[in-house]
Amino acid sequence: MSEVVDDITSAPVAHAQSAPRPSVLVAWDWLVEAARSSLFLAPRWQRLAASPWQMACQVLIQYGLGMLFQRLSIEGEAIFLWRALLAGWFGALLTAWLCYLIQPDPRVSRSAHSAPGAAHLFTLVIAQSNIFLLLIFALHVSLVRTGLVGDTSLWAQWIVWSVPMLWSVLARLALLLRAARPLASLRAIVAIAVVMLTSVLEYHLAPTPMAWRAAPQPEAPEEEPFMVSQEMMEAQLPLLDEQLDALKPQRPGVIDMYTITFAPYQGEEVFRRESTMVADVMARRFDAAGRGLQLINHRKTAEELPWATPLNLQRAIEGIGAIMDRDEDVLFIHMTSHGASDGELAANFWPIDVEPVMPPDLKAWLDAAGIRYRVLSISACFAGNWIAPLAADGTLVMTASDADHTSYGCGKKSPLTFFGRAMYDEQLRTTTRSFTEAHAASRKIILQRETAAGKDDGYSNPQIKVGGKIVPVLERMNKRLAEKPSA
């Protein structure tokens, strides 16, 4: 320790005659020189004053930033794990040992860029790490949370994230080699190599445990079995016709949008919520209030809304086709349920036996009703199987996944599916009325969220197919809506 003290006192002292500066300003000096060293510039050691307080300050900043970033990566409530405070100190101790080992020998003349001592070098190395932590967090916010990374390939994403990592490694090497004993010292080079290798192995084999974990969601109480009474059946029979009769008529010269939301699977609350949310977005943003039907299989709406059966969907399409101007207006249909690899849209309403809907069924019903302009949205696993059967010049069809992958967010604890949330609740509700723009933005958001959630069977890869004849129709409708004062 005497070597370090002697060495520091023998170094030039820029502030020997001046009053001590506030600790905050001294800490700022460390960050400034850390930023310079991150750009491979030689640190100006004469500006820096090492002390136990400054070392502790930089270490605490590093751990505080790490815990903050971990917390921000978890949506919703989270629980702090106190034991994480006891982990991750091996790297700091290893760095301190390295800085002591390679510090310049006070008995040997050193270069102008050599560190005054181990304390200076250790503090600056930690401060430099803090600069790169801030850089990586800024990259995370700008590229991922804003969706700028998009649906690039895994190789492209790996390159994006590896560049700042490689930069940080090279900047640290430059700092250590510049501040260490003369390069002729084999011990300095070997020590740096050992520490770098050990740090990499520690990161991959024994990574620092997370300081936060998502708070557990309360288990929903089990519901009593759903029972269908005769009164319910009798009330249900005329319900679809009554709601069709209540729809607003089309307006000549105005492109009206009529809507149907179809949620045929009673076992998941998420489908009922999504159906209701999408119906609300369409009513508010596309002037479809009073021109929409909800077909839902759920105990809470069993006596209020028509059931989501294939026959009711067919009748709803026929009924709206008779009301709308089929040469002018647009029919929007959103279908949300589980999906199968053959394109089947699952249906469940026990004890009632409900058949699933297949892509050719929907196309046949739309063709029979003579509806020319269609916007069709399928939120289900393997929904890409619906693209080819439904594609047409007057049709825009979009799906939550391609034909080979599952979608995400249809579990019992999900408030909305990933597709429904991104596409309708976030994009179409507030950002745009363009289905193509909303779908493109949603793909990027969904990729980020699936990656963060640990989806292990591949990106869902939402699809869209836009017919040439429906484009000008939607553009004219959106122009009118944008000019509408209450839109």
Side-chain angles (χ1 to χ4, degrees):
M1 190 65 185
S2 60
E3 288 184 6
V4 178
V5 173
D6 292 341
D7 190 39
I8 293 176
T9 56
S10 65
V13 181
H15 304 290
Q17 305 302 323
S18 60
R21 302 176 69 218
S23 297
V24 173
L25 295 180
V26 176
W28 175 253
D29 288 340
W30 283 102
L31 293 176
V32 169
E33 294 307 310
R36 282 174 50 86
S37 68
S38 300
L39 298 174
F40 303 99
L41 298 175
R44 297 169 295 187
W45 295 108
Q46 69 275 12
R47 292 172 49 91
L48 303 175
S51 68
W53 156 249
Q54 291 302 329
M55 283 190 283
C57 177
Q58 295 302 325
V59 171
L60 290 175
I61 289 175
Q62 184 177 75
Y63 274 81
L65 288 174
M67 291 181 183
L68 175 63
F69 299 164
Q70 289 179 17
R71 177 62 185 90
L72 294 176
S73 67
I74 299 175
E75 295 187 11
E77 297 183 2
I79 298 174
F80 182 69
L81 305 177
W82 292 99
R83 291 184 179 180
L85 295 175
L86 303 177
W89 294 99
F90 177 74
L93 293 175
L94 197 63
T95 302
W97 171 80
L98 170 65
C99 293
Y100 175 79
L101 187 65
I102 67 174
Q103 65 175 317
D105 191 335
R107 296 168 299 182
V108 179
S109 61
R110 62 187 182 209
S111 70
H113 302 312
S114 297
H120 283 72
L121 184 55
F122 174 77
T123 307
L124 190 58
V125 167
I126 299 300
Q128 187 190 80
S129 298
N130 294 337
I131 294 295
F132 280 104
L133 271 176
L134 290 169
L135 173 65
I136 292 171
F137 178 64
L139 185 68
H140 174 81
V141 171
S142 62
L143 297 185
V144 178
R145 286 185 176 268
T146 60
L148 295 180
V149 172
D151 52 349
T152 54
S153 66
L154 292 177
W155 275 106
Q157 294 177 55
W158 184 86
I159 292 173
V160 167
W161 293 113
S162 64
V163 167
M165 295 295 183
L166 179 60
W167 180 8
S168 68
V169 170
L170 295 177
R172 176 173 291 193
L173 278 174
L175 173 61
L176 292 173
L177 292 173
R178 176 179 280 143
R181 300 173 186 268
L183 292 184
S185 173
L186 181 61
R187 186 170 71 164
I189 298 175
V190 172
I192 292 173
V194 169
V195 170
M196 287 292 182
L197 179 60
T198 306
S199 299
V200 171
L201 291 177
E202 179 195 19
Y203 177 79
H204 287 284
L205 300 180
T208 303
M210 294 288 288
W212 298 90
R213 64 176 174 84
Q217 300 297 319
E219 292 290 337
E222 293 187 4
E223 296 182 341
E224 297 180 358
F226 176 61
M227 303 299 293
V228 180
S229 64
Q230 180 178 347
E231 291 77 11
M232 185 183 298
M233 293 290 293
E234 291 179 353
Q236 178 66 210
L237 290 175
L239 194 54
L240 179 59
D241 289 335
E242 292 173 359
Q243 296 199 7
L244 280 169
D245 291 340
L247 293 180
K248 292 181 179 179
Q250 62 87 210
R251 295 168 289 186
V254 175
I255 300 175
D256 287 313
M257 177 169 281
Y258 287 82
T259 69
I260 299 173
T261 57
F262 185 76
Y265 201 89
Q266 74 153 352
E268 307 290 359
E269 178 75 18
V270 62
F271 299 133
R272 181 183 73 88
R273 280 195 296 265
E274 179 161 305
S275 177
T276 302
M277 179 273 294
V278 171
D280 178 70
V281 170
M282 302 308 294
R284 293 175 182 270
R285 293 282 287 169
F286 291 87
D287 196 20
R291 294 184 176 86
L293 296 174
Q294 292 188 62
L295 309 183
I296 298 178
N297 289 343
H298 199 279
R299 63 169 60 222
K300 293 182 180 179
T301 60
E303 298 182 63
E304 304 169 3
L305 297 175
W307 294 345
T309 66
L311 184 57
N312 272 356
L313 180 58
Q314 181 183 6
R315 289 173 174 172
I317 293 171
E318 290 176 352
I320 290 179
I323 297 172
M324 68 191 300
D325 184 337
R326 289 170 289 185
D327 294 326
E328 182 178 66
D329 298 333
V330 179
L331 175 60
F332 168 89
I333 300 178
H334 179 73
M335 310 174 77
T336 178
S337 182
H338 295 297
S341 57
D342 62 353
E344 177 183 290
L345 191 74
N348 176 276
F349 201 27
W350 192 91
I352 300 171
D353 186 19
V354 182
E355 292 295 319
V357 177
M358 299 292 289
D361 299 330
L362 181 59
K363 183 179 188 306
W365 299 333
L366 291 166
D367 290 345
I371 297 172
R372 294 182 58 189
Y373 301 118
R374 316 161 182 177
V375 175
L376 308 176
S377 171
I378 297 89
S379 178
C381 296
F382 309 107
N385 287 289
W386 291 69
I387 294 287
L390 299 178
D393 284 342
T395 300
L396 183 153
V397 56
M398 51 193 168
T399 64
S401 59
D402 61 23
D404 301 312
H405 291 92
T406 61
S407 56
Y408 216 60
C410 56
K412 292 183 180 296
K413 297 181 180 180
S414 300
L416 296 168
T417 68
F418 279 24
F419 179 74
R421 175 185 171 191
M423 179 77 193
Y424 294 95
D425 199 37
E426 296 175 347
Q427 293 299 312
L428 289 177
R429 184 185 291 279
T430 58
T431 304
T432 181
R433 289 189 179 89
S434 167
F435 292 104
T436 54
E437 290 179 4
H439 194 273
S442 297
R443 283 174 54 86
K444 302 173 183 179
I445 296 170
I446 291 168
L447 173 62
Q448 184 269 324
R449 288 176 177 163
E450 288 180 351
T451 302
K455 188 175 186 291
D456 57 4
D457 63 339
Y459 174 41
S460 58
N461 195 25
Q463 300 290 296
I464 189 169
K465 181 73 173 179
V466 185
K469 292 184 178 179
I470 198 173
V471 172
V473 176
L474 295 176
E475 288 178 348
R476 290 198 301 272
M477 180 184 68
N478 288 338
K479 182 179 179 181
R480 174 181 68 84
L481 294 173
E483 295 172 351
K484 186 179 178 182
S486 59

